Amino acid sequence: MEEFGETALTSDKPANIAARCTVFAESDLVHKLQVGYEKRDVIAGLCRAVATNYLNNVGKGKKIEVPVVFQGGVSKNVGVARAFEDALGQKVIVGPDGHLMGCFGAALLAADAPVLRSEPFMFNIDDFEFRTREVVCGHCANHCEIVCVYRDQDLIDSWGNRCDRGAIRPKPKSAVA
């Protein structure tokens, strides 16, 4: 990953890579390489596409003000960080632990969450059997395909329903006193 970003920084003419979705970007990237673009220009173009896609979708309609902090795993890619700086016309701060901020946030949320389990959480998963099962909901016209995840015989999570009528939820465990 470090080489990828460093390679992007050596480009003088980043290729224009479609930023709408990864399928278009991949097709465009392959095409650019086939017609003779230099690898560094394609890599720099991909970094620009990542920044452009974010700004055009997540950042759309939002005023981005100084200081701009870039976090998440992709922040470790100096090519993408530079692409954000170029697109915004301002310095972007990338902290040494920026790639871990999602983990820190999840830990803070977990620390503040009410305790819902009767036994302590165990990191050893060797004794568990995980399996998934798909259920088609018939509660409305959507016929959602709901994926249920089981640990041993217990439902631990589910997703895929588009409304609460078909929501499948784990049974709550008794709270620890």
Side-chain angles (χ1 to χ4, degrees), residues 14-170:
N16 189 18
I17 304 291
R20 296 180 303 280
C21 77
T22 55
V23 174
F24 290 136
E26 181 181 13
S27 296
D28 208 14
L29 184 145
V30 169
H31 175 72
K32 296 289 196 257
L33 289 171
Q34 288 173 338
V35 297
Y37 278 76
E38 288 189 43
K39 187 192 307 186
R40 65 184 181 169
D41 295 333
V42 172
I43 290 173
L46 185 57
C47 291
R48 283 171 88 193
V50 169
T52 301
N53 187 36
Y54 181 88
L55 294 170
N56 288 342
N57 292 298
V58 179
K60 185 175 185 176
K62 296 175 179 73
K63 187 173 182 183
I64 300 174
E65 297 181 359
V66 174
V68 176
V69 178
F70 182 21
Q71 298 177 337
V74 180
S75 69
K76 297 297 276 184
N77 183 320
V78 294
V80 176
R82 172 75 55 79
F84 271 111
E85 289 180 341
D86 292 345
L88 295 170
Q90 58 192 22
K91 178 81 175 125
V92 172
I93 300 167
V94 179
D97 296 322
H99 62 293
L100 301 174
M101 289 300 112
C103 298
F104 290 149
L108 290 172
L109 289 172
D112 289 343
V115 177
L116 299 176
R117 45 178 70 248
S118 57
E119 71 277 349
F121 179 79
M122 303 295 289
F123 287 97
N124 183 357
I125 61 171
D126 291 339
D127 296 338
F128 297 128
E129 178 185 337
F130 290 96
R131 64 182 176 82
T132 59
R133 191 176 121 231
E134 185 177 292
V135 177
V136 177
C137 175
H139 288 72
C140 73
N142 287 328
H143 296 334
C144 299
E145 296 176 0
I146 303 170
V147 176
C148 300
V149 179
Y150 293 86
R151 181 181 66 208
D152 295 329
Q153 301 302 315
D154 298 325
L155 175 69
I156 59 172
D157 200 4
S158 67
W159 62 86
N161 56 299
R162 293 182 222 147
C163 71
D164 271 348
R165 293 172 68 191
I168 300 173
R169 294 184 178 84

